[in-house]
Amino acid sequence: MIINNYLPATKLQTFVQSCKRKLAKKDTFIIECTEKGLIKFFNAFENAKEKFSLTMKLFPPQSRSRGFEASVFQTCLLGELQKVFPEKWKFWKHKRFVISSDGYSFLFKKLNTKGIPMNIRTDANQSIINQMQTQLFDPTDYENPIVFFGWEKSKSGDLINPHFVYIDEEKIKWRLRKDELTSLNAPTILTPNKTGRLLPKVKEQSKRKKAI
């Protein structure tokens, strides 16, 4: 979609907010972002958890204000993501941290018991979970599908189950967890080399189709 640079601001806002973003399909998402690229998000999450644990030891529970833990972890996660994606992160309006990569815009949020990002219900947030274009975003990102990288908090307080989640029409369309990435789960078989020694070899995930 090409936006007329000379369109008045009020008309541009109305035009943008009436448009849907591109549809994100799970299999296409994995191919375009690559498994190697997606794994970086999970690694950043684990590193952030370690930093978060060390930081929280400096503050006894009775000295923590409301929302302190969530704020500290979010800060730890943002710091790790900025290291991994130094040229791809930015802050949108209202200090929303986002990574724009491979044609997708990634937001980061703790998820509720239904797997939905925990947000106060606002027009902007409703636009996000309906994949509508809003003035929160840069013009170059208007069409990018928004994909959340979220996590849950267990009853014991542990941060668990990190995964990608794509939401449209206020419903979860698909999720992607780390164990679904096939490159991490490729089985190995032992094959003899020229010396007769057995060497590990990654088993092919699928066979090539014979040409007709």
Side-chain angles (χ1 to χ4, degrees), residues 108-129:
F108 304 85
K109 269 290 184 179
K110 176 185 172 184
L111 307 176
N112 62 22
T113 55
K114 296 181 180 180
I116 300 293
M118 299 182 69
N119 284 312
I120 298 174
R121 191 180 181 89
T122 64
D123 289 342
N125 288 328
Q126 289 304 110
S127 295
I128 290 174
I129 61 177

PDB file of all heavy atoms in Angstrom, residues 108-129:
ATOM      1  N   PHE A 108       5.960  -7.192  23.010  1.00  0.00           N
ATOM      2  CA  PHE A 108       6.333  -8.106  24.079  1.00  0.00           C
ATOM      3  C   PHE A 108       5.457  -7.868  25.303  1.00  0.00           C
ATOM      4  O   PHE A 108       5.410  -6.767  25.840  1.00  0.00           O
ATOM      5  CB  PHE A 108       7.813  -7.920  24.426  1.00  0.00           C
ATOM      6  CG  PHE A 108       8.700  -8.093  23.217  1.00  0.00           C
ATOM      7  CD1 PHE A 108       8.946  -7.018  22.359  1.00  0.00           C
ATOM      8  CD2 PHE A 108       9.232  -9.325  22.915  1.00  0.00           C
ATOM      9  CE1 PHE A 108       9.726  -7.179  21.218  1.00  0.00           C
ATOM     10  CE2 PHE A 108      10.020  -9.499  21.778  1.00  0.00           C
ATOM     11  CZ  PHE A 108      10.259  -8.428  20.929  1.00  0.00           C
ATOM     12  N   LYS A 109       4.764  -8.938  25.734  1.00  0.00           N
ATOM     13  CA  LYS A 109       3.810  -8.773  26.819  1.00  0.00           C
ATOM     14  C   LYS A 109       3.638 -10.059  27.631  1.00  0.00           C
ATOM     15  O   LYS A 109       3.689 -11.164  27.094  1.00  0.00           O
ATOM     16  CB  LYS A 109       2.434  -8.378  26.257  1.00  0.00           C
ATOM     17  CG  LYS A 109       2.193  -6.890  26.152  1.00  0.00           C
ATOM     18  CD  LYS A 109       2.053  -6.261  27.532  1.00  0.00           C
ATOM     19  CE  LYS A 109       1.704  -4.785  27.444  1.00  0.00           C
ATOM     20  NZ  LYS A 109       1.541  -4.203  28.798  1.00  0.00           N
ATOM     21  N   LYS A 110       3.386  -9.877  28.904  1.00  0.00           N
ATOM     22  CA  LYS A 110       2.944 -10.987  29.742  1.00  0.00           C
ATOM     23  C   LYS A 110       1.527 -11.354  29.306  1.00  0.00           C
ATOM     24  O   LYS A 110       0.715 -10.477  28.972  1.00  0.00           O
ATOM     25  CB  LYS A 110       2.966 -10.561  31.208  1.00  0.00           C
ATOM     26  CG  LYS A 110       2.433 -11.620  32.164  1.00  0.00           C
ATOM     27  CD  LYS A 110       2.386 -11.061  33.581  1.00  0.00           C
ATOM     28  CE  LYS A 110       1.677 -12.022  34.520  1.00  0.00           C
ATOM     29  NZ  LYS A 110       1.523 -11.456  35.888  1.00  0.00           N
ATOM     30  N   LEU A 111       1.215 -12.657  29.324  1.00  0.00           N
ATOM     31  CA  LEU A 111      -0.086 -13.135  28.877  1.00  0.00           C
ATOM     32  C   LEU A 111      -0.968 -13.510  30.068  1.00  0.00           C
ATOM     33  O   LEU A 111      -0.466 -13.956  31.110  1.00  0.00           O
ATOM     34  CB  LEU A 111       0.088 -14.359  27.967  1.00  0.00           C
ATOM     35  CG  LEU A 111       1.047 -14.190  26.785  1.00  0.00           C
ATOM     36  CD1 LEU A 111       1.186 -15.511  26.039  1.00  0.00           C
ATOM     37  CD2 LEU A 111       0.565 -13.090  25.846  1.00  0.00           C
ATOM     38  N   ASN A 112      -2.271 -13.340  29.905  1.00  0.00           N
ATOM     39  CA  ASN A 112      -3.194 -13.729  30.966  1.00  0.00           C
ATOM     40  C   ASN A 112      -3.514 -15.214  30.871  1.00  0.00           C
ATOM     41  O   ASN A 112      -2.934 -15.944  30.069  1.00  0.00           O
ATOM     42  CB  ASN A 112      -4.471 -12.872  30.923  1.00  0.00           C
ATOM     43  CG  ASN A 112      -5.241 -13.043  29.612  1.00  0.00           C
ATOM     44  OD1 ASN A 112      -5.092 -14.039  28.903  1.00  0.00           O
ATOM     45  ND2 ASN A 112      -6.083 -12.077  29.298  1.00  0.00           N
ATOM     46  N   THR A 113      -4.447 -15.686  31.678  1.00  0.00           N
ATOM     47  CA  THR A 113      -4.768 -17.115  31.710  1.00  0.00           C
ATOM     48  C   THR A 113      -5.368 -17.617  30.405  1.00  0.00           C
ATOM     49  O   THR A 113      -5.374 -18.822  30.139  1.00  0.00           O
ATOM     50  CB  THR A 113      -5.744 -17.407  32.859  1.00  0.00           C
ATOM     51  OG1 THR A 113      -6.903 -16.566  32.722  1.00  0.00           O
ATOM     52  CG2 THR A 113      -5.089 -17.127  34.204  1.00  0.00           C
ATOM     53  N   LYS A 114      -5.860 -16.702  29.579  1.00  0.00           N
ATOM     54  CA  LYS A 114      -6.430 -17.082  28.280  1.00  0.00           C
ATOM     55  C   LYS A 114      -5.404 -16.975  27.150  1.00  0.00           C
ATOM     56  O   LYS A 114      -5.733 -17.221  25.993  1.00  0.00           O
ATOM     57  CB  LYS A 114      -7.643 -16.196  27.969  1.00  0.00           C
ATOM     58  CG  LYS A 114      -8.797 -16.376  28.945  1.00  0.00           C
ATOM     59  CD  LYS A 114      -9.969 -15.479  28.571  1.00  0.00           C
ATOM     60  CE  LYS A 114     -11.130 -15.663  29.541  1.00  0.00           C
ATOM     61  NZ  LYS A 114     -12.280 -14.790  29.189  1.00  0.00           N
ATOM     62  N   GLY A 115      -4.186 -16.573  27.505  1.00  0.00           N
ATOM     63  CA  GLY A 115      -3.139 -16.453  26.496  1.00  0.00           C
ATOM     64  C   GLY A 115      -3.186 -15.140  25.731  1.00  0.00           C
ATOM     65  O   GLY A 115      -2.530 -15.009  24.693  1.00  0.00           O
ATOM     66  N   ILE A 116      -3.934 -14.171  26.253  1.00  0.00           N
ATOM     67  CA  ILE A 116      -4.061 -12.864  25.619  1.00  0.00           C
ATOM     68  C   ILE A 116      -3.145 -11.867  26.331  1.00  0.00           C
ATOM     69  O   ILE A 116      -3.042 -11.880  27.561  1.00  0.00           O
ATOM     70  CB  ILE A 116      -5.518 -12.353  25.671  1.00  0.00           C
ATOM     71  CG1 ILE A 116      -6.445 -13.335  24.951  1.00  0.00           C
ATOM     72  CG2 ILE A 116      -5.630 -10.961  25.069  1.00  0.00           C
ATOM     73  CD1 ILE A 116      -6.231 -13.417  23.471  1.00  0.00           C
ATOM     74  N   PRO A 117      -2.464 -10.983  25.604  1.00  0.00           N
ATOM     75  CA  PRO A 117      -1.614  -9.971  26.248  1.00  0.00           C
ATOM     76  C   PRO A 117      -2.383  -9.143  27.268  1.00  0.00           C
ATOM     77  O   PRO A 117      -3.525  -8.750  27.017  1.00  0.00           O
ATOM     78  CB  PRO A 117      -1.146  -9.105  25.070  1.00  0.00           C
ATOM     79  CG  PRO A 117      -1.201 -10.030  23.900  1.00  0.00           C
ATOM     80  CD  PRO A 117      -2.389 -10.907  24.133  1.00  0.00           C
ATOM     81  N   MET A 118      -1.770  -8.905  28.396  1.00  0.00           N
ATOM     82  CA  MET A 118      -2.418  -8.161  29.470  1.00  0.00           C
ATOM     83  C   MET A 118      -2.297  -6.665  29.189  1.00  0.00           C
ATOM     84  O   MET A 118      -1.239  -6.071  29.363  1.00  0.00           O
ATOM     85  CB  MET A 118      -1.790  -8.525  30.816  1.00  0.00           C
ATOM     86  CG  MET A 118      -1.926  -9.995  31.177  1.00  0.00           C
ATOM     87  SD  MET A 118      -1.237 -10.426  32.790  1.00  0.00           S
ATOM     88  CE  MET A 118      -2.379  -9.595  33.901  1.00  0.00           C
ATOM     89  N   ASN A 119      -3.384  -6.076  28.759  1.00  0.00           N
ATOM     90  CA  ASN A 119      -3.433  -4.649  28.436  1.00  0.00           C
ATOM     91  C   ASN A 119      -4.723  -4.033  28.956  1.00  0.00           C
ATOM     92  O   ASN A 119      -5.753  -4.717  29.042  1.00  0.00           O
ATOM     93  CB  ASN A 119      -3.369  -4.416  26.919  1.00  0.00           C
ATOM     94  CG  ASN A 119      -1.972  -4.607  26.358  1.00  0.00           C
ATOM     95  OD1 ASN A 119      -1.010  -4.082  26.900  1.00  0.00           O
ATOM     96  ND2 ASN A 119      -1.860  -5.358  25.268  1.00  0.00           N
ATOM     97  N   ILE A 120      -4.648  -2.775  29.283  1.00  0.00           N
ATOM     98  CA  ILE A 120      -5.867  -2.039  29.589  1.00  0.00           C
ATOM     99  C   ILE A 120      -6.614  -1.827  28.277  1.00  0.00           C
ATOM    100  O   ILE A 120      -6.015  -1.548  27.250  1.00  0.00           O
ATOM    101  CB  ILE A 120      -5.536  -0.674  30.240  1.00  0.00           C
ATOM    102  CG1 ILE A 120      -4.795  -0.900  31.557  1.00  0.00           C
ATOM    103  CG2 ILE A 120      -6.800   0.150  30.462  1.00  0.00           C
ATOM    104  CD1 ILE A 120      -4.300   0.372  32.206  1.00  0.00           C
ATOM    105  N   ARG A 121      -7.912  -1.976  28.285  1.00  0.00           N
ATOM    106  CA  ARG A 121      -8.695  -1.864  27.064  1.00  0.00           C
ATOM    107  C   ARG A 121      -8.742  -0.408  26.595  1.00  0.00           C
ATOM    108  O   ARG A 121      -9.368   0.440  27.209  1.00  0.00           O
ATOM    109  CB  ARG A 121     -10.114  -2.387  27.297  1.00  0.00           C
ATOM    110  CG  ARG A 121     -10.926  -2.558  26.014  1.00  0.00           C
ATOM    111  CD  ARG A 121     -12.323  -3.071  26.332  1.00  0.00           C
ATOM    112  NE  ARG A 121     -13.106  -3.276  25.137  1.00  0.00           N
ATOM    113  CZ  ARG A 121     -13.151  -4.405  24.432  1.00  0.00           C
ATOM    114  NH1 ARG A 121     -12.408  -5.430  24.818  1.00  0.00           N
ATOM    115  NH2 ARG A 121     -13.902  -4.522  23.357  1.00  0.00           N
ATOM    116  N   THR A 122      -8.037  -0.130  25.518  1.00  0.00           N
ATOM    117  CA  THR A 122      -8.025   1.207  24.917  1.00  0.00           C
ATOM    118  C   THR A 122      -8.248   1.048  23.418  1.00  0.00           C
ATOM    119  O   THR A 122      -8.183  -0.056  22.875  1.00  0.00           O
ATOM    120  CB  THR A 122      -6.679   1.918  25.152  1.00  0.00           C
ATOM    121  OG1 THR A 122      -5.638   1.180  24.484  1.00  0.00           O
ATOM    122  CG2 THR A 122      -6.357   2.018  26.637  1.00  0.00           C
ATOM    123  N   ASP A 123      -8.525   2.159  22.747  1.00  0.00           N
ATOM    124  CA  ASP A 123      -8.723   2.102  21.297  1.00  0.00           C
ATOM    125  C   ASP A 123      -7.470   1.580  20.600  1.00  0.00           C
ATOM    126  O   ASP A 123      -7.552   0.804  19.642  1.00  0.00           O
ATOM    127  CB  ASP A 123      -9.078   3.492  20.758  1.00  0.00           C
ATOM    128  CG  ASP A 123     -10.480   3.929  21.175  1.00  0.00           C
ATOM    129  OD1 ASP A 123     -11.287   3.054  21.561  1.00  0.00           O
ATOM    130  OD2 ASP A 123     -10.756   5.142  21.120  1.00  0.00           O
ATOM    131  N   ALA A 124      -6.311   2.014  21.092  1.00  0.00           N
ATOM    132  CA  ALA A 124      -5.052   1.586  20.472  1.00  0.00           C
ATOM    133  C   ALA A 124      -4.849   0.082  20.623  1.00  0.00           C
ATOM    134  O   ALA A 124      -4.482  -0.614  19.672  1.00  0.00           O
ATOM    135  CB  ALA A 124      -3.884   2.340  21.098  1.00  0.00           C
ATOM    136  N   ASN A 125      -5.098  -0.432  21.839  1.00  0.00           N
ATOM    137  CA  ASN A 125      -4.921  -1.865  22.063  1.00  0.00           C
ATOM    138  C   ASN A 125      -5.937  -2.693  21.290  1.00  0.00           C
ATOM    139  O   ASN A 125      -5.639  -3.789  20.823  1.00  0.00           O
ATOM    140  CB  ASN A 125      -5.014  -2.179  23.560  1.00  0.00           C
ATOM    141  CG  ASN A 125      -3.802  -1.684  24.325  1.00  0.00           C
ATOM    142  OD1 ASN A 125      -2.702  -1.646  23.796  1.00  0.00           O
ATOM    143  ND2 ASN A 125      -3.997  -1.297  25.570  1.00  0.00           N
ATOM    144  N   GLN A 126      -7.146  -2.177  21.155  1.00  0.00           N
ATOM    145  CA  GLN A 126      -8.151  -2.877  20.360  1.00  0.00           C
ATOM    146  C   GLN A 126      -7.740  -2.922  18.896  1.00  0.00           C
ATOM    147  O   GLN A 126      -7.978  -3.911  18.204  1.00  0.00           O
ATOM    148  CB  GLN A 126      -9.515  -2.181  20.503  1.00  0.00           C
ATOM    149  CG  GLN A 126     -10.154  -2.355  21.870  1.00  0.00           C
ATOM    150  CD  GLN A 126     -10.313  -3.822  22.245  1.00  0.00           C
ATOM    151  OE1 GLN A 126      -9.630  -4.327  23.125  1.00  0.00           O
ATOM    152  NE2 GLN A 126     -11.204  -4.515  21.568  1.00  0.00           N
ATOM    153  N   SER A 127      -7.103  -1.853  18.433  1.00  0.00           N
ATOM    154  CA  SER A 127      -6.617  -1.840  17.050  1.00  0.00           C
ATOM    155  C   SER A 127      -5.533  -2.887  16.857  1.00  0.00           C
ATOM    156  O   SER A 127      -5.463  -3.543  15.815  1.00  0.00           O
ATOM    157  CB  SER A 127      -6.070  -0.452  16.692  1.00  0.00           C
ATOM    158  OG  SER A 127      -7.100   0.518  16.714  1.00  0.00           O
ATOM    159  N   ILE A 128      -4.690  -3.061  17.864  1.00  0.00           N
ATOM    160  CA  ILE A 128      -3.595  -4.013  17.771  1.00  0.00           C
ATOM    161  C   ILE A 128      -4.117  -5.447  17.681  1.00  0.00           C
ATOM    162  O   ILE A 128      -3.681  -6.216  16.828  1.00  0.00           O
ATOM    163  CB  ILE A 128      -2.651  -3.865  18.970  1.00  0.00           C
ATOM    164  CG1 ILE A 128      -1.880  -2.535  18.873  1.00  0.00           C
ATOM    165  CG2 ILE A 128      -1.663  -5.031  19.048  1.00  0.00           C
ATOM    166  CD1 ILE A 128      -1.040  -2.225  20.085  1.00  0.00           C
ATOM    167  N   ILE A 129      -5.059  -5.828  18.548  1.00  0.00           N
ATOM    168  CA  ILE A 129      -5.538  -7.215  18.549  1.00  0.00           C
ATOM    169  C   ILE A 129      -6.563  -7.465  17.457  1.00  0.00           C
ATOM    170  O   ILE A 129      -7.055  -8.586  17.315  1.00  0.00           O
ATOM    171  CB  ILE A 129      -6.121  -7.607  19.929  1.00  0.00           C
ATOM    172  CG1 ILE A 129      -7.312  -6.724  20.296  1.00  0.00           C
ATOM    173  CG2 ILE A 129      -5.044  -7.555  20.989  1.00  0.00           C
ATOM    174  CD1 ILE A 129      -7.961  -7.126  21.605  1.00  0.00           C
TER     175      ILE A 129
END
